[in-house]
Structure formats: structure tokens, C-alpha cells
Amino acid sequence: MCIFTVQMLQRLLWIVLVLIVSNSCVKDPALKKPDTPPADTSRYIQFKFNARCLGKNLLCNSNSWYTNLQGDSFTVLKFQYFISNITFIKNDGTSLTLANEYHLLKHQINKTQFTLQQATKGSYTAVEFLIGVDSLRNISGAQSGDLDPGNDMFWDWTTGYIFYKLEGQYKNSATQPAREYAVHIGGFQGRYSCLRKVRVLFNSILEINKPGITQIIFNVDVDELFKTPYSIGFDDYYNAVTLPMFQNLSYNYSDMFSVNEIISP
């Protein structure tokens, strides 16, 4: 027969209580504080495009009228173009080309920026790119993203992509009331190719050192379409809608880009 005295019962109760408290203090592995994620050391470059006309921000609507050097008054309802084949020029004269960069800008719907995922540490003095789409992608069949033929920048599989598009209304002393206009520039091969490679100088050295997003803000001057090196008004355009005219306009708009500001992270 087992006889438990009061002292034995008290001692047994104390042992059980200690075991309960000890077990309650054991850390649950599932409740372990998560490790701090590693810091993002990636570097990105964001291109942002601010459209202007005659030095003022461009308004894409039917109520904002602008006047070119030829005396035409015009509105802008649609302004879009391709940027591709981006190359950064380093301060030692070497270059860095980014593969598979094709971007469609549409100012009338505020599609005016894109981010490059391939930024490489270094010091850069300029950037080069094509206004348009290179010959290889023009003949590569159906594509996706900004090169999707459904993006309103494609003619057909023979003539390929439209590189530059400007639409709206215009009027002048000989054209009243206002009439609609559509300037569509493209063509990637032959004597009258409209592919234009441009180099835009930075107003200061672009230093890609710190992780984060570096912003390059470009001004895009629509009125360059009508001047330098060729003086072309709307009547000139409609009197000679030809391949040489398309090419002349492409030379005109090739200097519409300039760097307004660089913002480092």
C-alpha cells in the first residue's frame, strides 16, 4: 500500500508545476523571428519623356493650338514614337549596349516612361538610340509587348512598323476651316530609310554607383518636325507625300530630344 503524506503531495505538485512552466518557455521554431531580407543592390535607369512645343508643355487636345515656323496653326491629338537599341557612352569612350530594348511612347495617354533593368555601374557622358525599330525586328513576324502589331504603330509585314506618328488638325491662310492631318513616318531599308540613330549628351556625368533608380528626364520638342535641316509645313507635306518627304521629316525630328535633368537615387 502506497501512503502519500502531505509533504510528499506538496513536493510532487511542485515538480509538476516546474515541468509545466519549463515547457511553456520553450520557443516554438515556427515563431522564430524571420531573417532580415538582404538589401536590394540592383541598379536601374528610368527614361522619362516630357513633350513640349515652342518651349511649353505639350497638351494633346483639340483646344490647344500651336504655330510652326511656316505659319500653320495646329493641334496635337496623338504623338507617339519608338525608342530602341539603347547604348550608353562611357567617359572613356567605350560603350555599353543594352539588348532587346524596344519601347513605344504615347504622350496622349501619358505612356511616357520606361525603366531599364540592365544598368551597369560606371560613368557615362551620353546615350544613343534609334528612333524606330531596326530591320531585324521589322521582319520577325508577330511580336508582343510594345512591338505588338495591335499597338497602332504597324502598317503590314512588307513596310513594317511606323516609327513616328503625329496627328491632329491644322489650318493656315489657305486652309480654312481646319482639316485633320496625319504624319506617319516609317521605312527601314533602301535609299529612303527613315531609321535615325541619335546621340543625346548628358548635361553632367551620369554616375551609376548607388543601388536604386536613376532618372533621366528628356525634353521632346514636337516643333522640330518642321525645321532643321528642312523647312516643311503641312501644305509642303501634303503636296509631296513621298519617300523623300518621309526621310526629310525623319531628319528633322532626329534632334527633338535633349536632357532636362538627371536625378540620382
Side-chain angles (χ1 to χ4, degrees):
M1 178 183 296
C2 294
I3 300 175
F4 292 94
T5 65
V6 173
Q7 290 179 335
M8 292 174 64
L9 288 173
Q10 287 177 336
R11 183 176 298 174
L12 180 61
L13 181 60
W14 176 253
I15 293 173
V16 171
L17 181 61
V18 169
L19 290 174
I20 292 174
V21 173
S22 298
N23 288 334
S24 68
C25 293
V26 175
K27 292 184 178 180
D28 186 346
L31 299 179
K32 182 181 178 182
K33 185 177 179 180
D35 294 332
T36 303
D40 185 359
T41 58
S42 302
R43 299 174 178 86
Y44 309 94
I45 299 178
Q46 185 178 72
F47 281 24
K48 302 181 73 173
F49 298 87
N50 175 42
R52 307 188 307 177
C53 191
L54 304 173
K56 297 181 179 180
N57 288 338
L58 179 71
L59 300 175
C60 294
N61 60 54
S62 59
N63 298 317
S64 299
W65 288 84
Y66 305 94
T67 303
N68 61 20
L69 290 178
Q70 294 76 23
D72 303 319
S73 295
F74 66 98
T75 64
V76 175
L77 299 181
K78 185 178 289 186
F79 179 42
Q80 47 199 57
Y81 48 87
F82 277 106
I83 298 293
S84 67
N85 294 67
I86 298 170
T87 297
F88 286 93
I89 309 302
K90 297 183 179 181
N91 60 353
D92 62 2
T94 60
S95 61
L96 172 68
T97 298
L98 306 185
N100 299 316
E101 295 291 347
Y102 298 87
H103 302 279
L104 175 59
L105 289 306
K106 294 185 174 183
H107 287 271
Q108 72 277 5
I109 60 171
N110 292 319
K111 187 178 185 296
T112 57
Q113 65 184 49
F114 57 84
T115 300
L116 303 174
Q117 307 292 329
Q118 308 174 53
T120 300
K121 186 176 181 180
S123 301
Y124 304 91
T125 60
V127 63
E128 290 182 346
F129 50 78
L130 288 181
I131 306 175
V133 178
D134 57 76
S135 58
L136 178 62
R137 287 303 186 104
N138 266 282
I139 59 173
S140 294
Q143 298 173 74
S144 59
D146 280 359
L147 292 177
D148 189 320
N151 282 330
D152 191 33
M153 288 291 279
F154 192 81
W155 279 314
D156 56 47
W157 298 117
T158 302
T159 50
Y161 288 94
I162 301 169
F163 302 158
Y164 175 103
K165 180 178 285 191
L166 189 72
E167 296 180 4
Q169 291 186 315
Y170 86 95
K171 60 186 178 181
N172 54 36
S173 58
T175 305
Q176 295 286 348
R179 59 174 287 187
E180 293 182 352
Y181 72 85
V183 179
H184 297 177
I185 308 298
F188 61 93
Q189 58 186 349
R191 177 181 177 185
Y192 295 109
S193 171
C194 293
L195 269 176
R196 299 275 77 84
K197 177 185 284 189
V198 301
R199 174 177 288 201
V200 183
L201 299 177
F202 298 139
N203 44 25
S204 60
I205 298 294
L206 172 63
E207 298 285 358
I208 304 298
N209 293 315
K210 299 178 181 178
I213 299 176
T214 298
Q215 294 182 331
I216 306 175
I217 302 174
F218 296 86
N219 288 329
V220 189
D221 292 302
V222 176
D223 46 301
E224 290 294 334
L225 177 70
F226 308 102
K227 59 184 181 179
T228 314
Y230 303 100
S231 176
I232 301 173
F234 285 104
D235 287 344
D236 301 319
Y237 173 69
Y238 279 108
N239 287 334
V241 182
T242 60
L243 294 180
M245 173 62 73
F246 295 156
Q247 187 178 68
N248 289 346
L249 287 170
S250 73
Y251 281 119
N252 278 6
Y253 66 62
S254 65
D255 63 351
M256 66 181 178
F257 297 98
S258 61
V259 173
N260 177 52
E261 187 179 8
I262 295 175
I263 302 175
S264 300

